[in-house]
Each structure stands twice: as C-alpha cells, then as structure tokens.
Amino acid sequence: MRESGILMHITSLPGPYGIGSMGREAFRFVDFLSRAGQSYWQILPINPTGYGDSPYQSCSIFAGNHYLIDLQALLAQGLLREEELEAVAWCRREEKVDFGILYENRLRILRLAYSRFADWERLKAFCEENRAWLLDFSLFMALKERYQGKPWYEWPRELKFRDKAALAEARRSLSQSVRFFSFVQYLFYTQWQALRDYAHGKGIRIIGDVPIYVPRDSVEVWCAPQLFQLDEELMPTVVAGVPPDGFTADGQLWGNPVYRWEAHKKSGYRWWLRRLAFAGTLYDVIRLDHFRGFEAYWAVPYGEATAKGGVWMPGPGMDFFRAIQRELPRLSMIAEDLGFLTEEVLELRDNTGYPGMKVLEFAFDSREPSDYLPHTYIPNTVCYVGTHDNMTMRQWFETSSQESVAYATEYLALTKKEGLVWGAIRAAMASVSNLCVVQMQDYLNLGAEARMNFPGTTSDANWTWRMHSGAANRRLAKKIYALTRLYDRLGTQKES
C-alpha cells in the first residue's frame, strides 16, 4: 500500500507557554494531517531532552518529556491558575523554543499542579502499572535534584554504585520528591494516550524514533552499568561517534557509552527487548536510529577530543534482530540506514526485511552514493525529501553548488511556476517507495531559519524551530491532499 506522512516534532507546534505540547494545537495538527490525506505523523523521541537540549540525549528511555505536557489542560482541571502561567515570560520569540526558560520554570509550575492534585488512586494505579521503570526513574530524578543536577557518577560513592541500604534510605527521605516525579509521568502518559487515541480515530499512525545510544548520565547506565563498556570505577573506556566523512573532517564525537554486546547477547537481549516492547506501545512504527551501528559501531577511546581516533568494532548483527523478530513479531520498524554504509550493513538491512531510508537531498550531492536518485528505489523503502538532520529543501537549493542545483532541476523537471521545493516534493511522492515522508518545513517552503538540527553541533539553532500559528491551514491541506491523491498515497484515508 502506498502512503505518505509528515515529519514534525511536537515541540515545533505553535501554542502558548514556549513550546509545542500535547494540547489543542497537537489535536488540530492531527486534523490537518487527516484533511491532507496523510497516514502518518513522524515525530522525534518524546523522552526528556538532555545535553544540548537534544531529544537523542535523554536521561531515560521510558520517561516522557515533561515540557510536552499541556498546561492548558491542567488549567481546565483546576490544577493551575491563569496568573501563575502569565507570570512567566515563556519565550523571547514565538517561533523559537527557549529551553533555558523551560528548564527554570516548567517543573516549578508542575509542582503547583501537584500541590492541588487529589486523584491518588489513579496515580497509584499508574505507578503500579509502570513500576518496572518508574521506580528507578523517579528516584534518579529526586537524587539529581538533591545534588543540584550533578550526574549520577558524581554522587556519593554508595549511591553511584547503588548500595542497597543507601538506595533504601534515599527512597525514604525523598519519598515526596519521588512521588512528584511519578506524578509528572502520570500527566505525560495520560495526555500522550489521549493524543494517540485521537490520531488513531482519524486514521493517523505515529512513527516514533528510538535512538541507538543512551547518554552516560541516564537511569539506564546507572542501573545497569554491566551492559556498557565501563571500567571498575564506572568510567567509559570507549564512547560512540562516527568517523570523518565529506561533511565533518573530525567525524562526530557523540560521547555516549557503547554497549557491551556480549553481555546483551548472554541475557538474550532482554534490555533491548524491554525497550523496544515499550516503544511499540507508544508508536505504531519505530524508526531505529543509526542502524549501521548494529552491524559495526565506531568506538572512540574515552577522552579523545575528536572522533578521528576511533575504530570499527563488530555489532550484534542479525542475531540481535532474530531475537527481536522472534519475541516481538508485530513490531514495525524503519531502518535509519544513513551514513557510511558497507555491503555488510546493506546485507543486514535486507536480511531484517526492514525498509531503509532514501533522502532526496542526497541524490544530487557528489559526496553521497547515487542510489538516492528515485529511479534506483525499490518499494520497500521510505522516501524523504530531507530529515530533521538536513537542510530544508529551500535552503538546499539556495546554498548548493550551481552544478548540483542544475542537475536536480534537470532530473526532477523543475519549473519556477511549480516551485523548486514543490517539484522536489512531487518527485518524492511519485517515487515507488511504499511510504513518502515530507518535513513540514518543506511544505511551508521555509529556509535556513527552520532547520531543526545541525548534527555534531550544540547551539540554540538546534531543536528550537516552531511553526507559526495558522500555517497548517485548510488551503495547504487541500494542496497536499491533491498531490497525495494524484500519486495514489491516500492509503487507508477515505477521500473527502
């Protein structure tokens, strides 16, 4: 079945209080997707943001990002008051998220909601249902608060090494703080389920992202250090990254601890199966980040200033994916098969049966393989104009070499009347890929100001773009619908 979707993270929605949320605008965006004939809404990880405000550097693989909680819903429930929210200047510019302001104010506001909360039976039921991850997460957050945000590896030694008596004392002395952080997760998941149910009712499925790595300062590394390449003092021996390429002379030094894959295999990949099973309850399709790292990963000695000194090390390979397909046979996944690809990586992807990604922007760049040209695609792929890690299509046309733009113009039969960006979208929609996903920024014909992320960098240019209110309007939906219908991508959406 041929289908299409739109890529835009929840944080990029318009609305009050400084960041897109799971509130009214999210429901309106689902309506927009339905009117536009789309089958999917692709988002980025919904876990708490971490270093550099990145959703790919989260302290938990299970917890939800409290910045996404709709505060207007809490107003309606009587848990917050208008004057409390109006007392905060939530952003400097409506079109840009200010994570500093959120960091200083969001939890403080949620504590006010907690002070008025009374439905303890529902909270208790939520805590019991999510006990397997929530107990450790809530304690982790309470301890971070006690130690002024320090990472767990800088806590007192008995807590760093998870001494049972020390953990029991912490749970007792921080019981109120632990319950508060559990309450925050209750709010998040109550709202997330409502949004997802609404999307399903409109025929919209969610594509969610599962990052390959977790940061060192995460619940997962604190609770299960034996699954990561750490020494006896819990210091990383090697960290993750990618080698130098045509885009980055030094490579990208991500800094995440890498997995001790032999330990995962010995356990039957229990940690990963639990992670993916949970993700499968949140999303309808999982985009598995950095797929090539499961065939071989770039390991950089801890302490190196760049990623240049790394080496390729073998990943778990098909043994890992056989375990997933055996234990979680209904899990639907997309392989993020970008980056430095070898025959071994391509073979692994093909053996899994997962669709890979085709990024149209890469097709006309001499630094990338030519198999991104649409005439080379096969149906079992997902075609993207660009992703959150790329330029917007308009930016690409404005900044690429004359030769690349001329090649794209000729190949895609682009005209000024149609518009260069809409011509590129047309080509993606016309491809044989079973699924076509287009960034919202490209449908809005936005330039460099709307780029979502610059990989390997940290700045307030990353993760902060927000769509203007009213941009996702009926006129645009009608135009997208016409293109979607023309190229037989309405999928299960009924014509209207």
Side-chain angles (χ1 to χ4, degrees):
M1 182 184 298
R2 289 170 59 79
E3 296 174 299
S4 61
I6 294 179
L7 166 60
M8 186 175 74
H9 195 33
I10 298 170
T11 59
S12 294
L13 289 165
Y17 316 128
I19 192 169
S21 75
M22 299 179 290
R24 187 179 305 151
E25 291 292 345
F27 286 77
R28 287 176 176 169
F29 189 67
V30 170
D31 292 338
F32 170 83
L33 290 168
S34 178
R35 284 194 294 270
Q38 302 305 289
S39 302
Y40 289 95
W41 179 6
Q42 181 169 336
I43 59 176
L44 306 185
I46 57 175
N47 310 107
T49 51
Y51 177 74
D53 305 312
S54 171
Y56 293 86
Q57 295 287 345
S58 180
C59 65
S60 171
I61 60 176
F62 296 108
N65 184 354
H66 62 274
Y67 293 161
L68 303 182
I69 293 172
D70 174 33
L71 300 184
Q72 287 182 312
L74 305 188
L75 280 173
Q77 294 167 27
L79 298 178
L80 292 175
R81 297 168 183 157
E82 286 278 5
E83 58 270 22
E84 293 166 343
L85 297 177
E86 292 173 359
V88 179
W90 289 102
C91 59
R92 294 177 176 85
R93 290 186 290 163
E94 287 292 334
E95 70 275 13
K96 197 174 181 68
V97 177
D98 191 317
F99 284 100
I101 292 174
L102 295 174
Y103 181 81
E104 293 295 328
N105 292 283
R106 205 68 171 211
L107 282 177
R108 180 180 61 81
I109 290 294
L110 291 175
R111 284 188 190 281
L112 295 175
Y114 176 66
S115 71
R116 300 173 184 128
F117 183 73
D119 199 347
W120 301 114
E121 286 302 312
R122 284 196 181 183
L123 177 58
K124 182 179 178 182
F126 172 81
C127 291
E128 195 57 41
E129 184 180 346
N130 294 277
R131 182 183 182 87
W133 65 269
L134 189 60
L135 276 175
D136 283 322
F137 170 76
S138 297
L139 179 60
F140 179 87
M141 294 301 293
L143 285 166
K144 281 190 78 70
E145 192 171 63
R146 171 187 274 183
Y147 295 111
Q148 293 79 50
K150 288 182 179 179
W152 63 262
Y153 44 87
E154 294 181 11
W155 295 348
R157 188 173 181 83
E158 62 272 18
L159 290 171
K160 172 182 173 179
F161 283 89
R162 294 182 59 82
D163 174 78
K164 289 184 179 179
L167 292 178
E169 188 284 326
R171 288 190 194 281
R172 182 192 58 77
S173 61
L174 296 171
S175 59
Q176 277 300 312
S177 184
V178 167
R179 189 158 69 158
F180 165 69
F181 285 108
S182 297
F183 161 77
V184 170
Q185 291 305 303
Y186 164 78
L187 291 181
F188 177 91
Y189 280 111
T190 299
Q191 292 189 2
W192 171 255
Q193 193 59 53
L195 177 59
R196 187 173 180 231
D197 287 348
Y198 185 79
H200 286 173
K202 291 285 185 174
I204 306 298
R205 284 156 286 167
I206 308 293
I207 301 174
D209 217 317
V210 172
I212 182 173
Y213 293 119
V214 296
R216 184 183 176 195
D217 187 25
S218 63
V219 184
E220 283 67 41
V221 181
W222 180 52
C223 290
Q226 72 278 6
L227 297 178
F228 300 86
Q229 294 189 38
L230 309 178
D231 64 20
E232 292 180 355
E233 287 299 310
L234 305 185
M235 294 283 288
T237 54
V238 291
V239 294
V242 289
D245 58 20
F247 299 95
T248 53
D250 291 333
Q252 295 178 36
L253 185 62
W254 298 337
N256 306 73
V258 296
Y259 297 107
R260 200 182 298 276
W261 281 114
E262 63 274 17
H264 284 270
K265 182 175 182 177
K266 189 176 180 180
S267 72
Y269 304 104
R270 186 171 62 248
W271 185 93
W272 267 99
L273 290 171
R274 183 171 160 238
R275 180 186 190 185
L276 291 172
F278 187 82
T281 68
L282 303 181
Y283 313 127
D284 301 292
V285 179
I286 292 169
R287 174 189 177 271
L288 192 57
D289 175 54
H290 196 56
F291 180 85
R292 76 103 47 245
F294 295 99
E295 191 280 323
Y297 59 91
W298 190 248
V300 183
Y302 181 66
E304 292 281 309
T306 73
K308 289 193 292 187
V311 294
W312 288 110
M313 298 293 291
M318 197 59 205
D319 187 64
F320 171 67
F321 290 105
R322 276 193 291 267
I324 294 171
Q325 293 171 346
R326 182 176 59 252
E327 299 297 327
L328 303 170
R330 296 186 178 181
L331 207 62
S332 180
M333 290 209 275
I334 297 169
E336 193 260 310
D337 56 342
L338 306 177
F340 177 68
L341 303 183
T342 62
E343 288 300 319
E344 292 80 6
V345 177
L346 298 177
E347 182 181 3
L348 177 63
R349 180 203 62 201
D350 292 344
N351 286 340
T352 66
Y354 302 146
M357 292 173 56
K358 298 294 185 182
V359 181
L360 192 61
E361 266 188 26
F362 294 168
F364 311 102
D365 193 318
S366 61
R367 295 173 294 184
E368 287 290 333
S370 61
D371 61 359
Y372 291 110
L373 291 165
H375 72 267
T376 68
Y377 297 177
I378 62 172
N380 191 35
T381 54
V382 183
C383 178
Y384 291 81
V385 175
T387 77
H388 64 278
D389 282 334
N390 307 132
M391 298 180 187
T392 66
M393 199 68 230
R394 177 176 167 181
Q395 182 187 10
W396 186 90
F397 280 118
E398 291 173 344
T399 61
S400 296
S401 68
Q402 289 183 347
E403 292 78 11
S404 293
V405 173
Y407 182 21
T409 300
E410 179 184 14
Y411 181 93
L412 301 174
L414 304 178
T415 65
K416 288 186 178 179
K417 182 179 180 181
E418 179 184 28
L420 299 182
V421 174
W422 274 93
I425 294 171
R426 167 182 48 76
M429 283 284 204
S431 74
V432 298
S433 297
N434 288 335
L435 177 60
C436 174
V437 178
V438 180
Q439 278 201 105
M440 191 63 189
Q441 293 97 311
D442 291 331
Y443 275 128
L444 296 173
N445 195 23
L446 299 177
E449 76 286 352
R451 181 169 179 169
M452 192 61 170
N453 181 47
F454 298 73
T457 69
T458 54
S459 75
D460 65 359
N462 291 343
W463 318 115
T464 56
W465 174 75
R466 296 185 71 195
M467 180 173 66
H468 284 293
S469 179
N473 53 46
R474 289 181 178 270
R475 182 179 177 184
L476 179 59
K478 185 177 181 180
K479 188 174 181 180
I480 297 171
Y481 182 91
L483 198 62
T484 306
R485 183 181 182 186
L486 179 64
Y487 290 108
D488 192 25
R489 290 193 178 276
L490 289 175
T492 58
Q493 291 282 7
K494 295 180 181 179
E495 294 192 14
S496 57

